[in-house]
Amino acid sequence: ATSRISGVKAFSLSGRSALSFRLRPLPRRLQISCAAKPETVNKVCAIVRKQLALPDDSAVTGESKFSALGADSLDTVEIVMGLEEEFGISVEEESAQSIATVQDAADLIEKLIAKKGA
């Protein structure tokens, strides 16, 4: 039988010997998130609008997914090239493939700029 008691699972095994034990929940891992500066996100939004030929008043935010904005793989490559040119960085192909949203791109840009300046 399995029951949940305030986030802790309790197990009991019955048979020849009665054995019971409790599993403690694992401590949550510390997650550090460094969100990009709003200026960086705004610049990325502008570049995405330009590369996808979207109207200036179109809703592009940090949460916007390139695919939802109508970008295909070629558009995404062109966006990354535009970002590299604008920010003076070089994005590895592996890193470029992990970019799905405007926020992903902005975070990666700031990480690369910080690495470049170090």
Side-chain angles (χ1 to χ4, degrees), residues 13-71:
L13 301 174
S14 300
R16 292 184 186 171
S17 63
L19 173 67
S20 70
F21 58 93
R22 289 178 186 233
L23 297 176
R24 293 186 183 152
L26 293 173
R28 294 187 181 214
R29 292 184 179 183
L30 179 62
Q31 199 170 25
I32 298 173
S33 153
C34 34
K37 297 175 196 160
E39 312 86 72
T40 305
V41 175
N42 290 339
K43 269 188 176 181
V44 173
C45 288
I47 291 167
V48 168
R49 275 192 202 93
K50 179 181 173 188
Q51 291 293 333
L52 298 178
L54 298 173
D56 289 339
D57 62 346
S58 60
V60 179
T61 66
E63 293 79 33
S64 297
K65 291 185 177 185
F66 294 156
S67 59
L69 296 171

Side-chain angles (χ1 to χ4, degrees), residues 59-108:
V60 179
T61 66
E63 293 79 33
S64 297
K65 291 185 177 185
F66 294 156
S67 59
L69 296 171
D72 60 19
S73 58
L74 181 59
D75 291 323
T76 304
V77 169
E78 290 176 353
I79 289 168
V80 170
M81 289 171 52
L83 296 172
E84 288 177 326
E85 188 177 318
E86 175 69 27
F87 291 96
I89 56 170
S90 179
V91 179
E92 301 275 330
E93 185 178 339
E94 186 178 296
S95 297
Q97 291 175 352
S98 69
I99 299 172
T101 66
V102 169
Q103 187 69 50
D104 293 341
D107 291 343
L108 178 62

